[in-house]
Amino acid sequence: MREIALVYLDRSGGLQKFVHDCKKYNDSKQSYAVYRFIISINPSDIAELDATLGNYILHKPIQAAQIFQSVCFIAIKTLSLIEQLQTEAQISILLKPTHLPPLLSYVLSLSTFPFNYTSQRFYMSEGIAIAMGTVTKYTQGARFLCTEETCPFSEGRFRYIRVHLPGATESATVRNDFVCSLCFSPLQEDMKFRVLGDKQIVEMIDAKVLNALKGYSSDKSHFRIQTFTVFLR
C-alpha cells in the first residue's frame, strides 16, 4: 500500500506540494519536534488504484495516515528534504478527503437513533453554527527528555515524541506523568520544541431545528433538539 500511496501522490500533484512544504521547513531557522503535513486525497481515485488502500482511508484514516507517514519519511530521507529530521515519529500526517461517498452510512446525524459512531472514520455532518468561541492554541506535538542525567535518553534525541491525534484530549499529548521506558525515570518536556496550532470550538445544532422555528407541525407530540460541540483544529 505504501507503493500505491506514492504513485497517487505523484499523479495527483501531492508529491510536488509535499516537497514544497518540506522546503519551507528546511529553510526555517526554527527547530521542530513535529513536522505537520496536510495531504488532500480523492478517495475515489485511490480506490481505483487500490481498493484496499481506498477502504483504509475511508474507514481507518488513522492507520492510513501511518502509511503516508512512512512514505513521506522515506521521501524526506532519500531526497534529503529536511536535514533536521531524525525519526519517522516526528512526521504528522493529516489526510484531508476532497469528498466522501454519497451514502447514508457516511452522514453523521445526531437526531437518528441508535447512535453507532464508535469507529474513528470520516463522517459528513451538516448543521447550523449558533455560537463560536475564540481561537486559542493547542499542542500539536512535543518532545520529552528523561530527567535522569545518566540515561541515554536525557540528551537531545527525538526518542519521546507526543503528537496530537484526532479525538484525543490535550492531556494525551502533554502531561507530567510520562516515564522513560529505559530507566523508568520521569520525563520532562523540552519546551523549545513544542509545536502549537490553532483551535476553535463551535456550537452547532441540527438543521432540522429550522422546521420547528417555522412552526412546522409534526405527528410526534414531543421532540427535542440538542446542540453538539465541534472542535476545529
Side-chain angles (χ1 to χ4, degrees):
M1 286 191 287
R2 286 185 295 183
E3 182 179 350
I4 298 297
L6 180 59
V7 170
Y8 173 77
L9 288 175
D10 185 34
R11 292 183 181 180
S12 65
L15 188 59
Q16 183 178 359
K17 179 182 180 300
F18 173 73
V19 172
H20 181 265
D21 292 341
C22 287
K23 187 177 185 303
K24 291 191 296 183
Y25 276 125
N26 198 44
D27 294 342
S28 175
K29 296 181 180 179
Q30 182 179 352
S31 299
Y32 294 89
V34 176
Y35 298 87
R36 189 168 183 261
F37 300 95
I38 299 177
I39 299 179
S40 296
I41 53 175
N42 185 320
S44 300
D45 290 346
I46 293 183
E48 290 182 3
L49 287 174
D50 186 83
T52 303
L53 181 57
N55 185 67
Y56 246 62
I57 290 173
L58 288 174
H59 300 98
K60 298 180 179 180
I62 295 180
Q63 290 88 332
Q66 293 173 352
I67 296 174
F68 282 85
Q69 177 189 33
S70 179
V71 171
C72 292
F73 177 73
I74 295 174
I76 290 174
K77 284 302 183 181
T78 303
L79 303 176
S80 300
L81 298 176
I82 302 178
E83 297 295 337
Q84 308 95 315
L85 181 70
Q86 295 185 19
T87 65
E88 184 175 320
Q90 290 180 259
I91 300 177
S92 175
I93 299 295
L94 177 63
L95 298 180
K96 185 177 180 181
T98 57
H99 66 282
L100 292 179
L103 302 172
L104 289 178
S105 59
Y106 292 95
V107 177
L108 177 67
S109 176
L110 297 181
S111 62
T112 303
F113 286 93
F115 297 148
N116 187 26
Y117 303 117
T118 56
S119 63
Q120 295 180 324
R121 66 176 178 87
F122 291 116
Y123 290 98
M124 294 181 290
S125 181
E126 187 178 76
I128 303 170
I130 61 174
M132 299 179 67
T134 58
V135 177
T136 58
K137 296 293 183 181
Y138 79 102
T139 303
Q140 289 182 348
R143 180 178 83 156
F144 289 81
L145 296 174
C146 182
T147 55
E148 174 56 52
E149 294 182 357
T150 60
C151 179
F153 299 144
S154 64
E155 300 177 351
R157 298 182 181 181
F158 289 87
R159 167 70 180 183
Y160 298 111
I161 301 294
R162 304 293 300 182
V163 180
H164 180 272
L165 292 177
T169 60
E170 304 292 329
S171 61
T173 308
V174 178
R175 60 175 189 259
N176 56 12
D177 60 347
F178 296 130
V179 296
C180 177
S181 60
L182 185 63
C183 67
F184 299 100
S185 298
L187 296 180
Q188 185 176 18
E189 183 185 356
D190 189 352
M191 292 298 298
K192 66 177 178 290
F193 283 95
R194 177 179 286 195
V195 180
L196 299 178
D198 294 332
K199 75 172 181 179
Q200 188 174 23
I201 299 177
V202 179
E203 198 75 11
M204 298 188 66
I205 196 166
D206 196 288
K208 293 180 180 179
V209 71
L210 292 177
N211 293 330
L213 296 176
K214 292 177 181 178
Y216 177 75
S217 60
S218 174
D219 294 335
K220 299 179 181 179
S221 58
H222 301 284
F223 64 92
R224 177 183 179 185
I225 298 175
Q226 183 170 327
T227 63
F228 57 96
T229 303
V230 177
F231 290 82
L232 305 178
R233 297 185 185 269

